[in-house]
Amino acid sequence: MPLHVPQAPAPALRSVLTALSSPTAVREARTPSLLRAQGPTTPELPLPVHLLDQVTPEGVAATHLAGWRFVIRSGERAVAAADTMLTPDGWAFSHFFEGPYIPSTERALRLAETMPQAYQPRLLSVPGLYMLTLWLHEDCTADGGTGHPAATDLLVPLAPAPPGIASHRPHRVAELLPVLTHRATPTRLLDSPA
């Protein structure tokens, strides 16, 4: 089933295009693949990046939009990614990067395209576990920058995932969030007397 990729804010896309056309921004980036890219580079596949703030006792996940991520392609190959962030003046380019999350995101998206139901792809970051997931939101018409994971949405952990969590295996939010919440919450080894 086709994925319904949300529309990125125009200023976020413009900021990435401006950075790509800046020799200084590209040269100063720690992205050898982007520096070696032959021919034009283009930002594609904008995905909103949400941060998991907390999970309530009722199991509702509170998130907030942290930025938009674009895959940077040179020809048929993804060579880097670009992140944008919201500033008091609007959307701005943040940085270029490369690494395992780029091919892992592409792999998870290919998996999502084979599913019988249509989804809106997003990214959900779990900072307490240094974990990133592809969040497949069931409401394809929703604003990609708003909302919270529904119990029936899917989360696909990207590689590298924390130990004991399989990468590229879809999980319902209602099943995976309790595991993530438990693992991200530090436990007290010893209770000290008051």
Side-chain angles (χ1 to χ4, degrees):
M1 183 83 33
L3 294 174
H4 297 268
V5 178
Q7 183 85 24
L13 176 58
R14 279 195 303 272
S15 73
V16 172
L17 289 169
T18 300
L20 280 172
S21 66
S22 166
T24 303
V26 171
R27 189 173 46 251
E28 290 179 359
R30 295 187 178 120
T31 52
S33 294
L34 183 59
L35 288 169
R36 291 190 303 264
Q38 299 294 316
T41 53
T42 56
E44 297 178 0
L45 195 63
L47 295 175
V49 181
H50 294 260
L51 291 180
L52 180 64
D53 295 320
Q54 66 174 345
V55 178
T56 67
E58 296 79 31
V60 177
T63 64
H64 73 274
L65 180 67
W68 284 80
R69 178 167 294 167
F70 297 80
V71 172
I72 307 300
R73 290 201 178 281
S74 177
E76 295 295 316
R77 198 168 68 88
V79 294
D83 275 356
T84 63
M85 63 184 178
L86 191 57
T87 69
D89 296 325
W91 287 100
F93 169 75
S94 174
H95 63 281
F96 292 115
F97 68 94
E98 59 184 57
Y101 284 129
I102 299 167
S104 184
T105 301
E106 290 185 313
R107 179 177 170 188
L109 288 166
R110 284 192 302 273
L111 170 71
E113 288 174 341
T114 66
M115 295 179 180
Q117 181 175 342
Y119 291 99
Q120 182 189 78
R122 304 169 174 203
L123 294 172
L124 180 65
S125 174
V126 185
L129 293 175
Y130 302 101
M131 180 181 182
L132 188 64
T133 69
L134 178 65
W135 167 15
L136 299 172
H137 193 49
E138 284 187 326
D139 184 356
C140 295
T141 63
D143 176 355
T146 62
H148 302 290
T152 55
D153 286 352
L154 296 178
L155 296 176
V156 182
L158 301 180
I165 298 176
S167 301
H168 304 113
R169 183 173 168 251
H171 302 269
R172 293 267 176 226
V173 166
E175 297 165 358
L176 188 59
L177 269 186
V179 173
L180 300 181
T181 303
H182 175 72
R183 292 185 72 178
T185 304
T187 57
R188 297 173 71 184
L189 297 176
L190 296 172
D191 288 328
S192 58

